Amino acid sequence: MCLVVVVVYSLTLLLPLGQASLPLVINTWPFKDATGAAWGALQSGGSVLDAVEKGCARCEADQCDGSVGYGGSPDENGETTLDAMIMNGDTMEVGAVADLRRIKNAVGVARAVMERTTHTMLVGESASLFAENMGFTAEDLTTNKSLNIFSEWLKGNCQPNYRKNVFPDPSAHCGPYKPRATVRDKQMRRHANVNSHDTIGMIAIDQAGHVAAGTSTNGLTHKVPGRVGDSPIAGAGAYADSSVGGAAATGDGDVMMRFLPSYLAVEQMRAGADPSTACKTAISRIKRHYADFFGAIICANTTGHYGAACNKVAGFSTFFYMVSNPETDKPALLSVDCF
Ligand SMILES: *[C@@H]1O[C@H](CO)[C@@H](O)[C@H](O)[C@H]1NC(C)=O
Ligand SMILES: *[C@@H]1O[C@H](CO)[C@@H](O)[C@H](O)[C@H]1NC(C)=O
């Protein structure tokens, strides 16, 4: 009986790589309801921007696996802060927010930055004030769950900890910290947890080849307050260009943002690479410098072809992502073997 269930699961859900078709919604991780929300937006006549916004907003409201939206990834002070972006591949406009406090719908605020200012990114307390002025509700993002994660962390001497070259020794003690006299730690890095998926990244392409991409995340659990990852950075967390396609990345943002992997993947596709190869090239570039980084990327081009790639590390050998297009009658779970 068990065997049958496993076989059925693998046949119906784990397509290796499906047919190319438009319109297309593709997103990181098995966040199926987000895919469905984006697909629904397209089906009801919404634009690709509406699809990406609705899809990412669904994850923010559902808290997906705790790595998107309120009540997850408390920072060193126990506060949840949000990062998000949205990009219009027709106009190359971007709206982004980072270190957003007290507002649940971060991708909605990102879209407001794009459509109601001529700026690209707003951050921190000022972004929250902007959001409130634009009609978003300010509310506490803390939940019992995030409080609990925070208090367990305090009890465990603030481990894991992202500081280095400070006193007291951050690998054994809580702060407050002061700079140590010497800076001697080289590449000492703590890995992002491969079990906390950490971001939704989404690409939507309509029948006419209009491309939009976006992301939303609550960042890294126990981050230093003020830390912003790759997600809200154009070209890092996501990129869209309606003359080529789009890409969105997920994983250890502190490392990944140094390589603009989404931009690189789109440029590879522009130069003729198929989406899977473009994704692999972006991962390989990072791997050359950080062999054991945790990360994955999805890529799609304007004919609806798509692919994904991920870096194989301990505990992470398969990356799951979602696709919805006319060939999948409902959001389909796909996977790629990491390399
Ligand atoms: C959170 O915890 C408090 C106190 O322990 C409890 O009264 C409250 O019902 C909890 N809330 C939820 C949503 O579980
Ligand atoms: C998208 O990728 C597929 C697969 O390599 C390729 O056949 C197709 O021509 C590409 N589409 C565009 C618009 O480049």
Side-chain angles (χ1 to χ4, degrees), residues 84-97:
M85 70 155 283
I86 190 162
M87 181 164 188
N88 179 340
D90 291 350
T91 61
M92 307 309 279
E93 290 171 296
V94 173
V97 283

Side-chain angles (χ1 to χ4, degrees), residues 68-211:
V68 181
Y70 71 101
S73 305
D75 66 15
E76 280 185 349
N77 297 331
E79 183 176 0
T80 295
T81 59
L82 307 179
D83 301 338
M85 70 155 283
I86 190 162
M87 181 164 188
N88 179 340
D90 291 350
T91 61
M92 307 309 279
E93 290 171 296
V94 173
V97 283
D99 193 22
L100 180 70
R101 312 176 68 189
R102 299 187 306 279
I103 309 283
K104 287 184 176 174
N105 181 206
V107 72
V109 182
R111 187 162 180 187
V113 170
M114 182 170 76
E115 294 183 341
R116 302 182 191 285
T117 77
T118 56
H119 299 315
T120 293
M121 179 184 275
L122 295 181
V123 305
E125 202 54 42
S126 304
S128 308
L129 187 57
F130 166 80
E132 280 189 71
N133 290 338
M134 291 299 113
F136 293 84
T137 307
E139 50 198 320
D140 193 351
L141 302 186
T142 302
T143 59
N144 283 354
K145 190 176 160 225
S146 65
L147 266 184
N148 191 47
I149 296 170
F150 176 56
S151 61
E152 287 300 309
W153 182 73
L154 289 179
K155 263 190 253 164
N157 295 320
C158 303
Q159 303 305 310
N161 192 298
Y162 295 98
R163 301 203 184 230
K164 63 179 186 178
N165 292 309
V166 291
F167 182 85
D169 178 3
S171 71
H173 302 279
C174 293
Y177 303 103
K178 293 211 158 81
R180 211 172 51 194
T182 54
V183 171
R184 55 173 184 251
D185 286 340
K186 327 118 251 162
Q187 291 279 332
M188 195 204 78
R189 253 187 347 101
R190 201 163 288 281
H191 298 291
N193 181 0
V194 299
N195 298 315
S196 81
H197 295 145
D198 87 25
T199 300
I200 181 163
M202 178 176 275
I203 308 161
I205 308 179
D206 67 13
Q207 205 80 46
H210 298 293
V211 183

Side-chain angles (χ1 to χ4, degrees), residues 272-294:
D274 67 89
S276 299
T277 306
C279 272
K280 275 191 169 166
T281 299
I283 294 292
S284 295
R285 182 70 59 85
I286 305 171
K287 230 169 136 103
R288 224 187 276 164
H289 298 268
Y290 298 95
D292 57 354
F293 84 102
F294 161 56

Side-chain angles (χ1 to χ4, degrees), residues 307-324:
C310 46
N311 189 33
K312 188 171 181 174
V313 292
F316 185 54
S317 55
T318 307
F319 168 58
F320 293 96
Y321 61 104
M322 297 299 309
V323 166
S324 203

